Amino acid sequence: MNVPRVLSIAGSDPSGGAGVQADLKSIAAHGGYGMAVITALTAQNTRGVRAVHVPPAAFVAQQLDAVSDDIEIDAVKIGMLGTARAADVVGVWLERVRPPVVVLDPVMIATSGDRLLEPTAEAALRDLLSLADVVTPNIPELAVLTGGPEAVTWEQAVAQAREVAAVHDVLVLAKGGHLLTSDTQDALVSAHGELAGVSGPRLTATSTHGTGCSLSSALATLRVVTGSWPEALRRATTWLRAAIARGESLRVGAPGGHGPVDHLGMLWDAAGVRARALEA
């Protein structure tokens, strides 16, 4: 098959662990050709977000048109949008271009706890949900989307995911990473309940910066590769667990922060890159 052409519409992370930087690494790790439309520039590192600069929405529209006028897009991953105007522009573009696969990561709250979406933009973001195939909120974001309290059990998370799925006619990826359980669970949830799920023992690791970005872009790419959402979820979560476990070996970030995952570690190992570097 052709190499999947995957577009990330998201903010930029200068430290390289989240946003479009994480998306492009994730897409490449799964055999895709990554492209990026920048919706926001952040000043951030592994310990938090310091500032956000948003380009004019008209420029976001110009980026989108420049890519789609020239390149056939197989999948789109949408991340940080920042403003209501940017969300509106992306919505108009999605309706016109209608990419085959759309994964929306409703980036509102970073792993560090920083808010990444203007409060006035939340309504505009909700309007995008019905244009996506899969939505991938974390536990705090799921609570914002439902207007309820944060889930503290897996059953509560699935119930909130079903609510979002029913209202917006979309699959929702419920993610259990924020829950205080010995195992972590993830499941694709429709209005009727769980469609497919995966689970595994909880990892003790600090390399969790950009996990939501990385998982959603992997899911978009693998849906093109496999043609199946359940199989895409299985492969994406297996890869992400390994990437988190290997993250500390990158030695990126000062103590006390959330380091990045090792997006390409398995490819480097398979190619003998690290072994040759150690021999040099």
Side-chain angles (χ1 to χ4, degrees):
M1 65 172 292
N2 294 330
V3 172
R5 294 152 296 191
V6 185
L7 174 63
S8 165
I9 305 172
S12 174
D13 172 12
S15 73
V20 295
Q21 287 86 344
D23 289 341
L24 292 174
K25 294 172 190 176
S26 179
I27 292 164
H30 294 93
Y33 174 77
M35 302 165 282
V37 165
I38 308 296
T39 57
L41 301 172
T42 68
Q44 68 172 297
N45 54 31
T46 66
R47 290 182 286 181
V49 179
R50 299 183 179 184
V52 177
H53 174 72
V54 180
F59 182 67
V60 174
Q62 289 176 323
Q63 293 181 77
L64 290 167
D65 290 341
V67 174
S68 58
D69 287 349
D70 179 48
I71 302 169
E72 186 174 349
I73 299 169
D74 298 305
V76 171
K77 173 270 168 81
I78 303 169
M80 178 184 178
L81 293 174
T83 67
R85 188 71 188 98
D88 291 340
V89 163
V90 171
V92 169
W93 179 83
L94 285 175
E95 290 183 323
R96 177 168 57 83
V97 176
R98 297 195 177 279
V101 173
V102 178
V103 174
L104 172 59
D105 185 18
V107 177
M108 301 176 181
I109 305 168
T111 300
S112 59
D114 293 297
R115 292 294 295 242
L116 297 174
L117 185 69
E118 293 178 354
T120 56
E122 290 181 2
L125 178 65
R126 285 187 174 87
D127 291 339
L128 286 180
L129 298 186
S130 60
L131 297 176
D133 297 298
V134 172
V135 182
T136 63
N138 58 30
I139 291 292
E141 290 161 351
L142 196 54
V144 172
L145 290 176
T146 59
E150 285 191 21
V152 295
T153 68
W154 177 244
E155 291 73 22
Q156 291 172 349
V158 170
Q160 288 186 334
R162 286 185 65 178
E163 181 181 340
V164 174
V167 170
H168 299 283
D169 189 24
V170 66
L171 288 176
V172 178
L173 178 60
K175 300 183 293 186
H178 283 75
L179 299 177
L180 300 178
T181 57
S182 57
D183 291 343
T184 58
Q185 293 179 281
D186 300 285
L188 286 168
V189 179
S190 73
H192 307 292
E194 292 187 39
L195 176 66
V198 293
S199 63
R202 180 174 294 278
L203 297 173
T204 303
T206 59
S207 299
T208 55
H209 182 53
T211 48
C213 306
S214 303
L215 178 59
S216 55
S217 50
L219 192 64
T221 308
L222 286 167
R223 176 59 176 80
V224 179
V225 172
T226 66
S228 163
W229 285 117
E231 179 63 11
L233 174 63
R234 185 189 69 80
R235 292 195 194 184
T237 52
T238 299
W239 163 80
L240 184 59
R241 290 182 64 82
I244 292 172
R246 294 164 181 257
E248 291 184 10
S249 67
L250 293 174
R251 300 176 66 184
V252 172
H258 295 279
V261 308
D262 190 355
H263 295 87
L264 301 173
M266 287 180 283
L267 292 179
W268 291 344
D269 289 347
V273 172
R274 282 177 171 158
R276 289 196 296 271
L278 291 173
E279 292 170 358

